[in-house]
Amino acid sequence: MESIFDTVELNNGVRMPIYGLGTSGNKDQTVCNDTIKAAVEAGYRLIDTAQMYGNEVQVGKAIRQSGIAVEELFITSKVDNPNHGYEAASKAIDDSLEKLGLDAIDLYLIHWPVVKGRGENWQEDNIETWRALEDAYEAGKIRTIGVSNFMVKHLKNLLANCRIKPMVNQIRLHPGVLQEETVAFCEKEQIIVEAWSPLSPIKQMSEDEKVKAMTEKYGKSVAQLLLRFSLQHNFVPLTKSAHPERVTENAEIFDFEISNEDMDYLNKLKFDDFEAPDVDIER
């Protein structure tokens, strides 16, 4: 974790950047262009989107205008909830490839484990959807495959029925939401954990006197502390912003380390406003 250019090895041998830009909510082409350009210039190499975000076309265009070869980037997308099932997921992968303008997507995820109309049969639904990702992986359309928002029982269901093991699980992680059971299971199964929404408690933490003291001690913002916190947990944080200067500032987290004592304090923080999403509610 010495550089934004560091990578982590996935369980199929592919290396993934340890830090990424999320694009949720970013549908404006100009904003998308500006933020991805700023990210690339700051050293980001992982760009995360999803069918659900409705911006694969914009992200694809922004990547091509970023000033860096697409081969140097690691692009992630995710199958939207209505596109579960083998046939729909297979088509969804082809749609993502076309919208992004790519020959292959670096990482493709099942976005949610329980979706509308399939809640009673989520086990078989996930197996069928996963089979579409496996076939696309074997066909060379996807370099790595994984899941998002999967808890232990959802992962166990896949592991018992898959040909190819999930390589990544992207879940909500930040102080107050550490999902220890899922993280420990992923570590045991060699599934890399990505952290979405790592900056969620920034307002609450900004009001905490000990956190304020940490910002002075390290000479860093609360956002930078939160992102460094993710890295020191061996999570791959995905941070988003519509402001290029914020994108650049968020990357300046490789020149300090949070002490064990301060990490212990951050690990124990609790917030009434935040909890892990109930992923068994149909979406």
Side-chain angles (χ1 to χ4, degrees):
M1 298 185 301
E2 296 179 359
S3 165
I4 196 170
F5 299 110
D6 287 348
T7 58
V8 62
E9 185 174 343
L10 305 185
N11 62 36
N12 70 337
V14 171
R15 301 201 71 88
M16 181 175 77
I18 62 167
Y19 188 75
L21 179 75
T23 63
S24 172
N26 193 346
K27 294 184 180 182
D28 182 273
Q29 188 65 64
T30 299
V31 174
C32 205
N33 290 349
D34 291 346
T35 54
I36 287 180
K37 186 174 188 295
V40 166
E41 290 175 351
Y44 294 70
R45 292 297 179 264
L46 192 167
I47 309 294
D48 179 276
T49 185
Q51 290 187 322
M52 188 182 292
Y53 303 163
N55 66 359
E56 287 177 311
V57 169
Q58 292 93 321
V59 168
K61 289 180 179 177
I63 287 167
R64 287 187 290 278
Q65 296 175 25
S66 67
I68 190 171
V70 68
E71 292 79 16
E72 294 185 42
L73 298 174
F74 191 97
I75 311 302
T76 301
S77 196
K78 314 172 191 79
V79 63
D80 200 359
N81 294 352
N83 296 329
H84 273 223
Y86 182 82
E87 296 297 335
S90 297
K91 182 179 183 302
I93 293 165
D94 289 339
D95 287 347
S96 289
L97 284 165
E98 181 178 354
K99 287 179 178 178
L100 286 164
L102 299 174
D103 295 325
I105 298 172
D106 295 292
L107 172 63
Y108 208 76
L109 310 176
I110 299 177
H111 207 148
W112 290 92
V114 181
V115 302
K116 285 182 180 178
R118 297 172 182 256
E120 292 184 2
N121 300 303
W122 66 263
Q123 294 95 331
E124 185 59 34
D125 174 61
N126 282 338
I127 292 166
E128 289 182 12
T129 306
W130 186 252
R131 188 162 55 89
L133 270 65
E134 289 177 318
D135 286 355
Y137 172 82
E138 291 178 335
K141 295 179 179 181
I142 306 168
R143 294 179 63 224
T144 59
I145 54 179
V147 294
S148 181
N149 301 299
F150 274 50
M151 303 298 102
V152 172
K153 69 177 182 180
H154 309 116
L155 292 167
K156 284 184 174 179
N157 176 58
L158 276 192
L159 290 171
N161 295 282
C162 66
R163 303 193 310 272
I164 302 166
K165 195 173 181 177
M167 296 152 197
V168 170
N169 187 17
Q170 185 182 124
I171 59 178
R172 181 173 195 151
L173 290 166
H174 52 72
V177 180
L178 293 179
Q179 305 209 51
E180 291 95 338
E181 182 187 11
T182 300
V183 169
F185 184 82
C186 288
E187 289 176 351
K188 174 176 168 287
E189 295 294 337
Q190 297 181 304
I191 299 170
I192 295 298
V193 176
E194 287 185 318
W196 64 258
S197 204
L199 302 184
S200 285
I202 190 168
K203 180 179 183 295
Q204 292 80 352
M205 286 180 60
S206 297
E207 298 167 354
D208 184 288
E209 292 303 322
K210 288 192 177 180
V211 173
K212 287 181 184 177
M214 288 183 206
T215 63
E216 295 176 9
K217 173 182 176 180
Y218 298 110
K220 295 293 179 179
S221 67
V222 175
Q224 290 168 327
L225 283 174
L226 282 164
L227 294 166
R228 184 70 199 184
F229 173 86
S230 257
L231 288 177
Q232 288 184 214
H233 268 289
N234 295 318
F235 307 151
V236 175
L238 303 171
T239 178
K240 62 179 183 177
S241 176
H243 305 285
E245 65 278 6
R246 209 60 73 64
V247 170
T248 301
E249 180 183 302
N250 286 344
E252 296 169 354
I253 58 172
F254 294 91
D255 56 353
F256 79 109
E257 184 169 342
I258 302 172
S259 71
N260 290 337
E261 180 183 357
D262 290 340
M263 284 292 289
D264 286 343
Y265 181 77
L266 296 175
N267 283 331
K268 293 172 183 174
L269 286 174
K270 301 294 181 185
F271 305 102
D272 293 336
D273 299 339
F274 303 111
E275 59 185 0
D278 184 349
V279 296
D280 287 322
I281 295 174
E282 293 185 20
R283 284 175 168 78

